[in-house]
Amino acid sequence: MTTTTGMSAAAGAVLPEFAWALRSHVGAVREGNEDFVGAYSPSVIEDHGPLFVVCDGMGGHAAGEVASRMAVETVLTTWTTSSAGPTQQAIRSAVRSANGAVFAASLDVETHGMGTTCTALALSGREGYVGHVGDSRCYLVHNGQCSQLTADHSRVGEMLRMRLITPEQAANHPSRSELTRSLGAAPGVQVDVVRTPISRGDVLMLCSDGLWDLVSRQEIAQASALDSVDDAAEQLVAWALERGAPDNVTVLVVRIAGEIPQLEADKGRGGGMAFLQRLGLVRGPVRTELPSEESA
């Protein structure tokens, strides 16, 4: 078990208002781990709030490992060194910077054709922002109910959204691992950014497909109810390993204990549906997909 595959200095941390833990395992079949995970978790939140990143690399040999590590490091570096701006723009810019870095490196002979997924979660005030490319996922557990915030950028994901196949057919479809969008495939990439309200007791989970392919949403909700985020992360990986874990398994769990300090650039930007929810006029989590980079 690898507990610090990314840039984090510890497997878990408790700061005012939230707690987090990460786990990454090579799985039961693979020889190497091409997943990479990192976290920026400041004790004092000023221009840059907390950011969590999971990437699942591809490309054969060691190229996938190179791509995922490079993407995580670039996202975190861009996030922490760029000028302060609205979170949705900052997270999109960080993921786009990672795409540029991976694409440039993929032109080298030794790493030609490498790429990676990227799912990043930022916290600001009472909202979470998810920047996403590929088929790693972000889930939200709210009041014991687990919902998927991200859309898979895969051939099977597209067919599911078009209702050409059923979820049962998708589970064993021959194109299930074929991505339609990833970092490193082209000089530019469209980055999905999703905004969701968060409140005390909510749990957000980032993971690679090696986890979500074997663990159900109901089980994610069940693990999220455990005493600590460390216990939740351990349990989720354990379930995947019990079921054979043919792929690398990575999970990062964040539990909201209270209100996160809001970034200055986000003040006054509250969405209408999120505002109504805080007044108790809308029940359950509200997922808002923000405009794509082409229209932002």
Side-chain angles (χ1 to χ4, degrees), residues 169-254:
Q169 291 172 321
N172 298 299
H173 197 280
S175 299
R176 60 198 305 272
S177 61
E178 183 180 343
L179 296 183
T180 56
R181 201 187 305 178
S182 63
L183 299 192
V189 67
Q190 181 178 342
V191 180
D192 289 354
V193 178
V194 176
R195 182 174 63 198
T196 183
I198 54 176
S199 56
R200 183 186 298 270
D202 285 353
V203 172
L204 295 117
M205 189 196 81
L206 306 177
C207 64
S208 62
D209 62 343
L211 188 287
W212 64 252
D213 197 31
L214 298 173
V215 178
S216 69
R217 294 187 192 184
Q218 181 178 359
E219 288 171 325
I220 292 171
Q222 181 180 339
S224 297
L226 295 175
D227 289 340
S228 72
V229 288
D230 291 279
D231 290 342
E234 289 279 4
Q235 181 61 74
L236 290 165
V237 173
W239 276 328
L241 293 175
E242 288 171 4
R243 293 158 194 176
D247 201 353
N248 307 144
V249 182
T250 296
V251 60
L252 197 158
V253 181
V254 182

Side-chain angles (χ1 to χ4, degrees), residues 91-173:
I91 199 168
R92 176 174 284 133
S93 177
V95 176
R96 288 165 61 183
S97 294
N99 177 73
V102 175
F103 176 75
S106 74
L107 300 179
D108 293 343
V109 174
E110 294 183 355
T111 53
H112 179 70
M114 73 176 181
T116 183
T117 69
C118 184
T119 302
L121 166 68
L123 304 178
S124 176
R126 296 180 178 178
E127 294 182 316
Y129 295 78
V130 184
H132 171 68
V133 176
D135 68 349
S136 294
R137 290 181 178 178
C138 180
Y139 292 93
L140 170 68
V141 180
H142 176 78
N143 289 338
Q145 299 296 313
C146 180
S147 57
Q148 182 180 336
L149 297 179
T150 52
D152 296 341
H153 299 142
S154 65
R155 192 69 61 196
V156 166
E158 289 185 354
M159 289 189 287
L160 276 171
R161 287 188 287 276
M162 296 174 65
R163 299 184 179 180
L164 298 177
I165 59 174
T166 65
E168 293 73 22
Q169 291 172 321
N172 298 299
H173 197 280

Side-chain angles (χ1 to χ4, degrees), residues 14-77:
V14 178
L15 296 173
E17 312 304 344
F18 69 95
W20 59 272
L22 60 85
R23 297 289 185 275
S24 187
H25 196 286
V26 68
V29 176
R30 299 285 182 92
E31 294 184 358
N33 193 344
E34 294 189 322
D35 291 353
F36 207 80
V37 55
Y40 171 69
S41 185
S43 57
V44 178
I45 299 175
E46 296 178 348
D47 291 342
H48 307 287
L51 185 72
F52 309 93
V53 193
V54 167
C55 292
D56 180 357
M58 65 204 80
H61 302 293
E65 180 181 346
V66 171
S68 60
R69 183 186 186 104
M70 180 178 296
V72 169
E73 292 178 345
T74 303
V75 167
L76 294 177
T77 299

